[in-house]
Amino acid sequence: MGVAERKIRHKEQVRGAILQSAWKIATEEGWQTLSIRKIADAIEYSVPVIYSHFENKEAILLEFTKEGFTLLTQELLKGKESEQEPGCQLVKMAKAYWNFAFENKEYYQLMFGLGMPACEMVNTVPEMKTFTDVMISSISAAIAQSKNPDAEVFMKYHAYWSILHGLVAIQVIEKSVYPDELKQKVLQDAIEGFVRGIGG
């Protein structure tokens, strides 16, 4: 291995250590406690070294946000691809979203802690746009088959996501480790009602 290759490998290793340390701090202490100084102390490097890999703390958080949206989208697609009917896809995706939120709380808190990402951010972060497109495609297909094919797709999308995030947020406020069967039935009832509403 040449000098250039060793430098690239070392840089990748340091970057990986930064992210690994940041994740450990977040899972043990919460995202709000994360700082460049804490990361530097944890991996025993100087603060300038951290800044040579990431512009600021927000850049580190964005890396995890992208990763979280990638994982969530994968789960949504599993649910979506298991059904042919758009309405059934929406029900399956809702369950997948719900399960992801409680099985990956650190990711979810970072991804949606301040609510739905702004359109400007979604359009500049491919992982967020893919997540949005997966949901919108099923909603669009459901609307196309409905008695009201001129319904506003984005309004329905925001309604769908609001149901999902709102129910998850309630559980977070109640500090549920994992929602009981009744709460999951509430989710199913709400989403099935949403789907019926699209059908007109």
Side-chain angles (χ1 to χ4, degrees), residues 25-161:
I25 293 169
T27 54
E28 292 179 355
E29 304 175 31
W31 289 111
Q32 68 277 7
T33 69
L34 187 65
S35 69
I36 297 295
R37 168 59 66 185
K38 271 194 174 183
I39 296 171
D41 291 344
I43 65 173
E44 298 181 342
Y45 275 91
S46 66
V47 168
V49 169
I50 310 299
Y51 282 118
S52 71
H53 289 269
F54 295 96
E55 184 179 356
N56 48 38
K57 184 179 80 171
E58 285 66 35
I60 296 174
L61 296 181
L62 181 59
E63 285 296 309
F64 289 117
T65 298
K66 290 178 178 180
E67 193 173 289
F69 274 104
T70 297
L71 294 171
L72 175 53
T73 300
Q74 290 171 356
E75 294 304 311
L76 294 182
L77 285 171
K78 287 179 187 177
K80 179 174 183 171
E81 292 168 359
S82 69
E83 298 286 350
Q84 294 295 320
E85 192 67 26
C88 295
Q89 291 176 352
L90 291 170
V91 172
K92 284 292 184 70
M93 285 195 293
K95 291 178 180 177
Y97 182 103
W98 177 270
N99 290 336
F100 177 88
F102 293 100
E103 291 170 3
N104 302 274
K105 290 185 177 181
E106 288 81 14
Y107 275 123
Y108 192 85
Q109 181 186 15
L110 181 60
M111 293 157 64
F112 297 111
L114 297 177
M116 178 168 280
C119 291
E120 295 79 8
M121 188 173 188
V122 169
N123 290 329
T124 57
V125 180
E127 293 83 357
M128 290 185 186
K129 191 172 189 311
T130 301
F131 157 79
T132 302
D133 289 345
V134 167
M135 286 187 170
I136 287 178
S137 63
S138 289
I139 292 172
S140 296
I143 289 174
Q145 296 177 6
S146 74
K147 296 177 182 178
N148 185 22
D150 296 324
E152 174 54 53
V153 174
F154 285 100
M155 185 188 76
K156 294 295 184 183
Y157 164 64
H158 280 275
Y160 180 72
W161 182 82

